[in-house]
Amino acid sequence: MENQQIIDEIFLRNPQLKESDRPRINSFVNQIKEKVLAYTHLEELPQGLFYVIVSMVEELAGIREIAQSIKEGDASITYARNAEDIVLSFKPELNKYRRMAR
């Protein structure tokens, strides 16, 4: 799975992004890919994770906000803002591809 494919999809979904955002988005793509590979124990990412990776990068870049937890009493919302939390929030999707560590 090439970074350019992921970046192109993110830009297609988010027309508010500017060309000057590409290096920052590429950095987030690298970080998410590294974390997902470490979590799944795979050597390369399968095409089936393409849109999962796109969504993770959007979250990490702050393009798409997904609530990690919501508390009603004091109206508190927590967002997953680091790569580890974001990867863990996608466990159901990632576990389909996860392998035993070698």
Side-chain angles (χ1 to χ4, degrees):
M1 185 179 314
E2 298 294 324
N3 283 18
Q4 193 57 50
Q5 290 175 292
I6 297 166
I7 294 167
D8 288 345
E9 182 67 24
I10 291 168
F11 272 74
L12 181 67
R13 290 175 160 201
N14 301 282
Q16 76 277 14
L17 293 174
K18 299 175 181 77
E19 282 301 310
S20 60
D21 293 321
R22 281 191 184 269
R24 184 175 66 94
I25 299 298
N26 188 57
S27 177
F28 290 139
V29 169
N30 288 331
Q31 184 178 12
I32 288 294
K33 284 173 70 174
E34 184 178 305
K35 297 290 182 188
V36 169
L37 288 171
Y39 179 81
T40 59
H41 308 292
L42 297 172
E43 292 183 22
E44 66 180 59
L45 295 171
Q47 195 61 31
L49 286 176
F50 178 78
Y51 289 106
V52 174
I53 299 294
V54 168
S55 295
M56 289 178 169
V57 172
E58 287 176 328
E59 277 190 48
L60 186 59
I63 299 167
R64 183 182 117 171
E65 299 285 343
I66 300 295
Q68 184 178 9
S69 66
I70 299 172
K71 183 179 173 185
E72 284 187 35
D74 294 322
S76 172
I77 299 175
T78 305
Y79 293 99
R81 295 302 295 158
N82 65 51
E84 289 82 13
D85 289 345
I86 291 169
V87 168
L88 293 177
S89 72
F90 281 84
K91 278 174 70 173
E93 292 92 339
L94 296 176
N95 284 344
K96 295 174 188 172
Y97 296 92
R98 195 169 190 198
R99 303 287 180 253
M100 296 292 291
R102 295 180 186 186

